[in-house]
Amino acid sequence: MDALEVALEMAPLPADEVTAGSPSAGYAVLGHIGVGGDALEVGVWEMTDGTATDVEVDEVFVVLAGSATVEIEGIATPLELNPGTVVRLSAGMRTVWTVHERLRKFVVS
């Protein structure tokens, strides 16, 4: 499977989350690791250009394509995302995503 070729159904982000532009996002579940309540979900997520806020879940991701800046409440230095960047986010983090070039990431959550 080529994670860059996985088809995603894109939808506009909720207006109350968007702070600039008209970003859309899509997500496809590829499978699960483990069973029951401890299973981790594996998927591909993508967002188009624009800026939006989010409250994160526990996840680790690898940027596959595109570029973005992620500001995390309480952390002074924003994250610069480019292909190959690996990030760990914790549940409850409040973030602002500014996508400069359509961003696609491989996610385990």
Side-chain angles (χ1 to χ4, degrees), residues 8 12 15 21 25-27 38 41-42 49 66 70 80 96 100 102 106:
L8 301 178
Y27 181 71
D38 293 329
E41 188 171 276
V42 177
D49 299 9
V70 179
E80 296 299 331
V96 177
H100 311 293
R102 190 178 192 116
F106 174 80

Side-chain angles (χ1 to χ4, degrees), residues 67-92:
S67 66
T69 302
V70 179
E71 298 171 65
I72 302 172
E73 188 177 89
I75 298 178
T77 305
L79 301 173
E80 296 299 331
L81 306 181
N82 294 292
T85 303
V86 178
V87 176
R88 164 76 165 91
L89 296 174
S90 298

Side-chain angles (χ1 to χ4, degrees), residues 21-39:
S22 301
S24 294
Y27 181 71
V29 176
L30 302 178
H32 293 84
I33 300 170
V35 294
D38 293 329

Side-chain angles (χ1 to χ4, degrees), residues 8-15 17-28 44-54 67-68 97-105:
L8 301 178
E9 187 173 320
M10 303 296 285
L13 291 175
E17 295 176 9
V18 175
T19 60
S22 301
S24 294
Y27 181 71
V44 173
W45 177 89
E46 186 169 291
M47 182 176 154
T48 61
D49 299 9
T51 304
T53 62
D54 197 13
S67 66
W97 292 72
T98 301
V99 174
H100 311 293
E101 179 185 353
R102 190 178 192 116
L103 186 75
R104 182 172 276 227
K105 63 184 186 174

